[in-house]
Amino acid sequence: MAALGAGKGDALLVADCVTSLGGIPVALDEWGVDIAYSGSQKCLGVAPGLAPFTISDRAWERRITRPQSWYLDLGLLGGYAGEAGGSGGRTYHHTAPTGMVVSLHAGLGRVLEEGLDAVHARHAAAGAALQSGLEARGMRLFAAAGHRLPELTTVWVPDGVDSAAVRKRLLDEYGIEIGGGVGEFAATVWRIGLMGHNARPDSVALVLAALDAVLA
């Protein structure tokens, strides 16, 4: 990201931080990111429904002031937050999902209580343990070394194994849900997430033991 930011020129840099926020370091200003968004349901460990979002001053100045869609009218949303107009007043845009906001506040409180560096280290350790455990079982990881996320591991489905059948048994028998691939990789890779509270050694041990039992 830092390299992209350094070479962006006059372009605006947009970052998808849905899986990364709360799991690995995210330094948007340092990297020169202009717009970034995330989700509440991944590493923050909060129920889905909120999308944390940020926009730089230079991106704000270049926004479309009268967009076609009301839903992502940044001027109205900024006014709703009470900052965009500079008048101190608020613009009504929607009814706030207060329960979700309170739950996000609690989730962020847990992160601060543990310490952000400790949270990042916990995700890194869990991801490394899962990835080394999969490789020790003869499985191949999808991403090359140096390009892997600790919080989301993608692994090739072993030859001769029914991807969907394994995922169904993991869910039915062990209460573990792992994702399939997307597009051309729908049946050839698994995506295993260890995020938020699940980024712990016992979760790694459970996933590996369940895979051992099902693949046997």
Side-chain angles (χ1 to χ4, degrees), residues 33-215:
V33 173
D34 295 290
I35 299 173
Y37 57 89
S38 187
S40 55
Q41 74 277 20
K42 301 287 186 178
C43 296
L44 296 180
V46 181
L50 293 179
F53 176 87
T54 187
I55 180 170
S56 69
D57 289 340
R58 65 191 297 266
W60 178 263
E61 292 170 357
R62 292 166 64 175
R63 77 189 190 281
I64 296 174
T65 56
R66 296 177 64 96
Q68 182 180 18
S69 172
W70 172 87
Y71 290 96
L72 196 56
D73 186 324
L74 296 180
L76 287 177
L77 288 168
Y80 182 71
E83 297 294 334
S87 64
R90 294 181 68 244
T91 301
Y92 177 77
H93 183 265
H94 64 279
T95 299
T98 54
M100 293 180 180
V101 173
V102 170
S103 68
L104 177 60
H105 184 270
L108 294 174
R110 289 195 301 270
V111 170
L112 291 174
E113 183 177 355
E114 183 178 353
L116 190 56
D117 289 342
V119 171
H120 290 164
R122 176 164 56 78
H123 279 82
L130 174 64
Q131 291 165 13
S132 63
L134 292 171
E135 289 184 315
R137 287 160 172 77
M139 299 186 192
R140 295 184 298 118
L141 300 183
F142 181 84
H147 299 274
R148 297 168 182 165
L149 289 173
E151 67 272 28
L152 182 60
T153 296
T154 306
V155 58
W156 289 102
V157 177
D159 293 339
V161 171
D162 185 327
S163 172
V166 169
R167 292 172 54 216
K168 185 176 187 304
R169 285 193 58 191
L170 288 173
L171 182 60
D172 292 344
E173 300 175 22
Y174 298 93
I176 297 173
E177 184 172 14
I178 65 174
V182 178
E184 64 179 297
F185 302 105
T188 55
V189 300
W190 290 318
R191 294 177 298 123
I192 306 174
L194 291 173
M195 307 180 202
H197 181 75
N198 280 328
R200 301 183 184 279
D202 55 342
S203 296
V204 176
L206 178 60
V207 169
L208 293 175
L211 279 172
D212 286 341
V214 172
L215 293 176

Side-chain angles (χ1 to χ4, degrees), residues 10-44:
D10 189 50
L12 296 176
L13 180 58
V14 181
D16 175 344
C17 300
V18 172
T19 303
S20 53
L21 184 65
I24 58 176
V26 177
L28 302 179
D29 291 338
E30 180 182 329
W31 296 338
V33 173
D34 295 290
I35 299 173
Y37 57 89
S38 187
S40 55
Q41 74 277 20
K42 301 287 186 178
C43 296
L44 296 180

